[in-house]
Amino acid sequence: MDIFLKTIGSINDETRLKILHFIDVNGEVCVCDIENSFEMIQSRISRHLKILKDGGFLKVDRRGRWAYYSIRTPLDQFRQSILKEISCLDINIPLLNKGCKVE
Amino acid sequence: MDIFLKTIGSINDETRLKILHFIDVNGEVCVCDIENSFEMIQSRISRHLKILKDGGFLKVDRRGRWAYYSIRTPLDQFRQSILKEISCLDINIPLLNKGCKVE
DNA sequence: TTTATATATCAAGATATATTGATGTATATA
DNA sequence: TATATACATCAATATATCTTGATATATAAA
């Protein structure tokens, strides 16, 4: 029950739906890419990514000074059905706008 | 998006998960049955039923002085998958305890 | 037509969640 | 070792949601 509520709670927010769909569409991205694409402050992005990760939708891979977020694999049937439903919602997401100042 | 968030928001609450599962298990019940089974005050039950109805999970049929709630039919695939996931959660629900004082 | 039952809704307070700005930590480069 | 970049977390405030008790409405029986 607690895990279910954490999963459901993680997608019960417009900002997180957009970020989740953005990652679903663009694949692996780092935090500053999202920050730059959405024009939101970094702490806000970081918090929502943590909630989506704790909700079981995202995984994070830290390489160098970056944290790369992507859809968790393998993803169970239930979360897959949620992602599919979200992909049908016609959500308005920004274009990927790389935000990293170094490579 | 708004409909999706209303759907998700409606199941983002422990009390509503229990009520929804209770109706899924017991079939059509009236408000005072739920009130009596869960030992919660009526306004609280009524409010959660409305949210679950607005979330697309329940329908209501008013007959006489009673309002009978049941799982909405037909139920789309997405909500069906949610109900199925909830049914696997091993949620502790009370036994049906009829609360109507008249017949 | 008065009263009891069943249900819905409102207002107030309690609780939870989101946003922001500040700060902390880690990595890499100068 | 000093500085910039990338990210996470905290504290304060704002906003949303939940619970309760009071009240309103509708139905049916006395």
Side-chain angles (χ1 to χ4, degrees):
Chain A
M1 169 101 109
D2 289 349
I3 292 173
F4 180 85
L5 281 172
K6 188 173 272 189
T7 302
I8 292 302
S10 75
I11 51 168
N12 188 35
D13 180 271
E14 185 172 338
T15 302
R16 285 197 292 275
L17 282 185
K18 287 186 175 180
I19 292 174
L20 183 56
H21 186 52
F22 181 83
I23 294 173
D24 197 20
V25 167
N26 290 289
E28 192 184 65
V29 288
C30 64
V31 179
C32 53
D33 290 341
I34 303 175
E35 186 186 351
N36 218 253
S37 302
F38 281 88
E39 297 188 330
M40 290 180 185
I41 63 173
Q42 179 267 325
S43 70
R44 185 176 170 190
I45 301 287
S46 185
R47 182 179 184 276
H48 285 309
L49 287 170
K50 178 174 166 49
I51 292 171
L52 285 166
K53 181 165 74 68
D54 292 347
F57 289 96
L58 299 181
K59 66 181 163 75
V60 61
D61 185 26
R62 293 175 206 285
R63 300 199 296 271
R65 61 181 86 169
W66 293 279
Y68 292 94
Y69 283 85
S70 55
I71 303 297
R72 197 180 117 205
T73 48
L75 201 68
D76 58 286
Q77 273 300 130
F78 181 57
R79 288 189 182 81
Q80 276 185 43
S81 70
I82 290 173
L83 274 192
K84 187 176 163 224
E85 189 73 13
I86 292 171
S87 73
C88 295
L89 291 182
D90 192 37
I91 295 181
N92 202 342
I93 53 168
L95 286 173
L96 176 59
N97 186 9
K98 286 275 177 190
C100 316
K101 295 183 181 168
V102 289
E103 294 291 321
Chain B
M1 170 102 109
D2 289 348
I3 291 172
F4 180 85
L5 281 172
K6 187 173 274 189
T7 302
I8 292 303
S10 74
I11 51 168
N12 189 35
D13 180 272
E14 185 172 338
T15 302
R16 285 198 291 277
L17 282 185
K18 287 186 174 180
I19 292 174
L20 183 56
H21 187 52
F22 181 83
I23 294 174
D24 198 20
V25 167
N26 290 289
E28 192 185 64
V29 287
C30 63
V31 180
C32 53
D33 291 340
I34 303 175
E35 187 187 350
N36 218 254
S37 303
F38 281 87
E39 296 187 332
M40 290 179 185
I41 63 173
Q42 179 267 323
S43 70
R44 185 176 170 191
I45 301 287
S46 185
R47 181 179 184 276
H48 286 307
L49 286 170
K50 178 175 167 46
I51 293 171
L52 285 166
K53 182 166 73 69
D54 292 347
F57 288 97
L58 298 182
K59 65 181 164 73
V60 59
D61 185 24
R62 293 176 206 285
R63 299 198 296 271
R65 63 182 84 172
W66 293 279
Y68 292 95
Y69 284 86
S70 56
I71 303 296
R72 197 179 119 206
T73 48
L75 201 67
D76 57 286
Q77 272 301 128
F78 181 57
R79 290 190 181 81
Q80 276 185 43
S81 70
I82 291 173
L83 275 192
K84 186 177 164 224
E85 189 73 13
I86 292 172
S87 73
C88 295
L89 291 182
D90 192 36
I91 296 181
N92 202 342
I93 53 167
L95 286 174
L96 176 58
N97 185 9
K98 285 276 178 190
C100 316
K101 294 183 182 167
V102 290
E103 292 292 322

